[in-house]
Amino acid sequence: MGLDVRGLHLGLVAYPGLGGSGIVATELADRLARAGHRVYLFATERPFRLPKESPVAFVPVDLPFYPVFPGPLYTLSLAGVLEREAQRLGLDLVHTHYAIPHAAAAYLAFGEGFPLVHTLHGTDVSVLGMDPAFHGPTRRALMAARATTAVSRALALEAERAFGIRPRVIHNAVDPERFRPRPERKRLYAEEGEWLLVHASNFRPIKRVPDLVRAFAKVRRRVRARLLLLGKGPEEAEVRRVAEELGVSPYVAFHPPTPHPEAVLGAADLFLLASEEESFGQAALEALACGVPVVATAVGGVTELVRPEVGRLVELGDLEGLAEAVLELLYSPERERMRRRAREYAMAEYHPDKITAQYLQVYEEALG
Ligand code: GMT
């Protein structure tokens, strides 16, 4: 008989900002807490997507600074908080999201005797995980954990090559109540008769947002369309420059990050993603749940997410191909059917109940 995993005391560790790993951790924490578990979310600030009325308890990780330190010691501070609070709160298990430095911090706090579960999200394996400065301690921490999960098969394979571990694949979830079609909002972002193309990210170079603008300029030569870029980040100035250079800046709009991306995504005709690396593509999943088909680059876990019946995949850097795929989907006789399929697919494969049950199964095994 399985262990009774009702009423667990769980500590989740996350980055609080705009990144997908923090969103995934926060939403999982919220669902677990609403299902009756006592959930404590450890982060340097209250996570951006944690609803005010959430039953999750936020535990701040303070970053004390002493003049002798070269800077704040996040890993050590987190380890100290975890160790202290786990005892005080009677935690049964700690689950970290994004391995660097969370896995090593948890290992430092508890060693091997405590149930630790880690979820790998992307660059914690492919970029930082491979950095010689972080690889050794992260590998040791992951090897010692009771369980490690990865958000896609592509990432699990990468983790196997990088760390010699075999993570279990648990895809990310999307809430279909919240992420649903909102065509009535389209008029807020586009003019009558314009197609609305949306992208959402943290505008890091890896997201290749300037590529999107270049492809959009090709689309715009053929049809009336608007590109709405949701988020903010280091490439914003370059994106504006490219839009200006190509003469499409009047049709490229920026929307600041919002805790309610569903209000924008639900209004779109298509969602675009041109990343050079993407272990999953959470924003693309959110768009699919809104009934919005996706055109994306065929990289990493995006190839698992974007099936032909709900979108199109193009080669990285193939801007002509991207523009063609956009036009094909906008004018496809299958357009309405594809929108319905996108939503049905997201609900069937990535429903929060299904994904939460998979994490609880991992907890059960880790505790057993
Ligand atoms: O790994 C990162 O670059 C950061 C991370 C984040 O916190 O945004 O993103 C990753 O995790 C998301 C949630 O699982 C995925 O949807 C993103 O695809 C993934 N990003 C990359 O792999 C670049």
Side-chain angles (χ1 to χ4, degrees):
M1 205 170 78
L3 189 77
D4 186 355
V5 288
R6 281 173 301 175
L8 290 175
H9 288 206
L10 302 165
L12 269 70
V13 178
Y15 282 116
L18 299 177
S21 70
I23 292 170
V24 168
T26 302
E27 291 183 352
L28 174 65
D30 191 53
R31 291 197 302 275
L32 288 164
R34 288 179 200 273
H37 302 283
R38 291 277 284 278
V39 184
Y40 300 90
L41 190 52
F42 292 77
T44 49
E45 299 166 27
R46 187 181 168 86
F48 170 74
R49 280 247 198 136
L50 185 62
K52 278 197 194 70
E53 70 288 358
S54 173
V56 171
F58 162 55
V59 184
V61 179
D62 293 328
L63 296 172
F65 180 76
Y66 296 102
V68 71
F69 295 164
L73 303 185
Y74 176 53
T75 310
L76 208 52
S77 299
L78 174 60
V81 167
L82 283 175
E83 183 185 8
R84 207 175 55 239
E85 294 296 307
Q87 213 166 34
R88 193 177 71 82
L89 303 169
L91 296 186
D92 297 307
L93 179 146
V94 167
H95 179 186
T96 78
H97 284 259
Y98 203 87
I100 297 180
H102 298 155
Y107 184 50
L108 201 55
F110 304 108
E112 295 189 17
F114 187 83
L116 293 177
V117 174
H118 304 301
T119 292
L120 305 173
H121 280 273
T123 49
D124 49 351
V125 178
S126 60
V127 180
L128 297 180
M130 299 308 285
D131 187 323
F134 305 126
H135 184 267
T138 306
R139 185 177 146 274
R140 253 187 310 284
L142 293 173
M143 304 262 294
R146 297 273 171 94
T148 298
T149 74
V151 298
S152 62
R153 290 191 294 279
L155 185 62
L157 276 174
E158 234 177 313
E160 192 173 347
R161 285 194 295 266
F163 299 119
I165 53 164
R166 303 192 70 172
R168 171 154 168 191
V169 176
I170 301 186
H171 287 132
N172 293 336
V174 67
D175 176 358
E177 308 275 311
R178 180 172 164 199
F179 289 91
R180 58 185 162 76
R182 295 168 200 260
E184 70 288 354
R185 291 185 59 85
K186 183 175 162 184
R187 66 185 166 75
L188 300 176
Y189 310 111
E191 287 181 7
E192 188 67 36
E194 274 182 341
W195 294 109
L196 179 63
L197 314 179
V198 173
H199 165 78
S201 76
N202 45 19
F203 298 7
R204 286 182 300 162
I206 216 174
K207 302 288 177 180
R208 302 272 284 250
V209 189
D211 273 11
L212 281 182
V213 176
R214 291 190 182 98
F216 172 72
K218 295 176 188 293
V219 171
R220 179 73 214 185
R221 263 182 238 136
R222 312 259 292 274
V223 297
R224 289 186 62 209
R226 188 163 294 262
L227 177 63
L228 181 60
L229 301 171
L230 170 60
K232 71 168 184 188
E235 289 249 283
E236 188 172 331
E238 174 62 5
V239 171
R240 286 184 191 277
R241 193 195 62 73
V242 173
E244 192 72 38
E245 181 183 287
L246 298 174
V248 289
S249 39
Y251 316 107
V252 176
F254 290 81
H255 191 299
T258 162
H260 296 290
E262 64 275 14
V264 181
L265 293 174
D269 290 306
L270 278 185
F271 182 85
L272 310 182
L273 191 66
S275 305
E276 61 190 41
E277 196 183 312
E278 203 68 69
S279 66
F280 184 81
Q282 183 67 20
L285 173 60
E286 292 174 348
L288 291 173
C290 292
V292 177
V294 172
V295 177
T297 41
V299 297
V302 179
T303 58
E304 292 160 45
L305 177 66
V306 181
R307 298 187 182 164
E309 60 273 24
V310 299
R312 291 290 175 271
L313 292 172
V314 299
E315 289 299 310
L316 174 65
D318 177 6
L319 307 185
E320 202 59 56
L322 215 158
E324 284 306 321
V326 166
L327 290 165
E328 184 218 324
L329 294 193
L330 290 179
Y331 289 96
S332 164
E334 288 280 295
R335 207 173 79 79
E336 279 311 315
R337 198 172 314 163
M338 192 178 253
R339 288 182 74 91
R340 277 199 302 279
R341 276 195 308 240
R343 178 156 171 81
E344 283 161 13
Y345 161 69
M347 284 170 73
E349 299 290 324
Y350 304 93
H351 196 283
D353 293 347
K354 176 176 167 177
I355 306 300
T356 307
Q358 292 177 4
Y359 277 113
L360 282 168
Q361 175 72 36
V362 168
Y363 295 169
E364 177 172 343
E365 287 166 17
L367 287 163

